[in-house]
């Protein structure tokens, strides 16, 4: 586990020169354009091949076969991918700042494990079988684990190392519980198999409506924490000298990350590496300033998630690979590369 403070995160976050700010703003605008194009591709491309005319007809004549495919399936799937991708990227950026670990993601603090354990419990012991039913269990499990990690990490005296260690320990225990329950209950294993790989295929308007308030609140909170988290990145003593309230900032950052990743996991299942790769990658362009990292992560994380989903739809036609499998296939080698590059830089 890497929990040391990288030099680039302790760098000065003073205002950048006008030319660099203009380049960042232009890059963010370009990222938005790319996001729009990927979203359109998500609507137009799928496991069922449709011509542009058929997609157009489906969009503006929502009745009939084309409307069922384009509007009822692909549109909801695309919207959920936009929301979940932004949430995972934002939560990853906040957690990397909070733990001072540029390779952190929501799984580091046990949030994904909490959601998964809650869903297994609901399916196995409470008889909940519908997506709209266990979404709330997933979100509750994520929130409970986030609170427990905060408590075990020292609450008001929490440090990045304590939070990371508490999250790792809780994750190990919960995944052990999850595996034990599914081994003892074959029916639970069958019901959980689809959810645990991470997927956008079950997206519905109802699911989006349930998680949207939490995603909106978490997004506003995370973006509002950019300045105090910037101060904390320069060290606790410097942050205090700059007037930052460390305990309040850490508590709010934990809350924002839990709400965002918990809601995304509740709707889509645990999707790995999106919250790790995108904030880490954009930092090389934006620098350590979270006032730029977080907006970039909000825009580019859905690009990765929707792009992986489109790839999964066309790679195994007429079947499809779930997006959690595709992001894992992409993210695993990328993570190894990042770790090796980081170790080389420290030698």
């Amino acid at each position: 586990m890497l929990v040391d403070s990288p030099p680039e995160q302790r760098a000065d976050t003073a205002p950048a020169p006008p030319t660099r700010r203009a380049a960042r703003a232009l890059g963010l605008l370009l990222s938005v354009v790319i996001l729009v194009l990927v979203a359109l591709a998500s609507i137009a491309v799928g496991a069922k091949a449709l011509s542009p005319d058929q997609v157009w007809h489906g969009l503006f004549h929502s009745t009939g076969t084309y409307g069922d495919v384009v509007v009822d399936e692909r549109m909801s799937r695309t919207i959920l991918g936009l929301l979940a991708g932004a949430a995972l990227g934002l939560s990853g950026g906040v957690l990397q700042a909070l733990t001072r670990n540029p390779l952190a993601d929501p799984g580091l603090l046990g949030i994904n494990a909490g959601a998964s354990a809650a869903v297994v419990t609901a399916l196995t012991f409470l008889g909940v079988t519908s997506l709209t039913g266990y979404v709330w269990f997933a979100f509750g499990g994520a929130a409970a684990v986030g609170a427990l990690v905060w408590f075990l990490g020292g609450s008001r005296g929490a440090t990045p190392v304590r939070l990371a260690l508490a999250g790792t320990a809780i994750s190990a225990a919960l995944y052990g519980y999850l595996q034990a329950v599914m081994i003892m209950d074959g029916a639970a294993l069958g019901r959980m198999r689809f959810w645990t790989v991470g997927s956008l295929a079950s997206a519905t308007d109802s699911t989006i409506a349930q998680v949207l308030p939490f995603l909106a609140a978490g997004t506003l909170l995370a973006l509002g924490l950019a300045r105090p988290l910037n101060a904390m990145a320069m060290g606790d003593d410097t942050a205090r000298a700059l007037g930052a309230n460390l305990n309040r900032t850490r508590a709010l950052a934990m809350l924002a990350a839990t709400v965002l990743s918990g809601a995304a996991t509740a709707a889509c299942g645990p999707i790995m590496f999106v919250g790790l790769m995108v904030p880490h990658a954009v930092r090389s362009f934006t620098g350590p300033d979270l006032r730029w990292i977080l907006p970039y992560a909000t825009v580019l994380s859905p690009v990765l998630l929707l792009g992986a989903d489109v790839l999964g739809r066309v790679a195994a036609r007429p079947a499809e690979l779930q997006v959690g499998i595709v992001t894992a296939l992409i993210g695993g080698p990328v993570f190894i590369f990042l770790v090796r590059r980081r170790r080389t830089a420290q030698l």
Side-chain angles (χ1 to χ4, degrees), residues 5-17 20 24 92-98 100-102 222-223 225-235 278-297 342:
S5 301
E8 65 269 18
Q9 284 194 325
R10 296 192 298 268
D12 186 14
T13 54
R20 188 170 186 184
R24 289 169 172 172
V94 168
L95 288 176
Q96 287 175 13
L98 176 65
R100 298 176 190 170
N101 178 0
L223 293 175
L225 290 171
R227 285 182 178 274
L229 286 173
N230 272 343
M232 288 177 55
M234 294 185 284
V278 177
H280 187 88
V282 301
R283 187 178 290 109
S284 62
F285 174 72
T286 64
D289 192 345
L290 286 163
R291 292 172 298 179
W292 288 101
I293 292 175
L294 296 183
Y296 266 92
R342 183 169 170 76

Side-chain angles (χ1 to χ4, degrees), residues 285-345:
F285 174 72
T286 64
D289 192 345
L290 286 163
R291 292 172 298 179
W292 288 101
I293 292 175
L294 296 183
Y296 266 92
T298 304
V299 174
L300 290 178
S301 294
V303 171
L304 174 60
L305 187 61
L306 285 177
D309 190 45
V310 171
L311 180 61
R313 291 185 231 171
V314 301
R317 281 178 173 171
E320 63 179 73
L321 294 175
Q322 302 307 322
V323 67
I325 298 174
V326 179
T327 57
L329 291 173
I330 297 172
V334 171
F335 181 76
I336 293 172
F337 169 75
L338 293 175
V339 171
R340 288 184 60 85
R341 188 180 69 172
R342 183 169 170 76
R343 287 180 176 175
T344 301

Side-chain angles (χ1 to χ4, degrees), residues 118-155:
V119 171
V120 167
T121 301
L123 289 171
T124 305
F125 301 111
L126 302 178
V128 177
T129 58
S130 67
L131 177 65
T132 54
Y134 61 67
V135 156
W136 293 102
F137 284 92
F139 184 77
V145 169
L148 182 60
V149 168
W150 176 249
F151 174 76
L152 294 179
S155 300

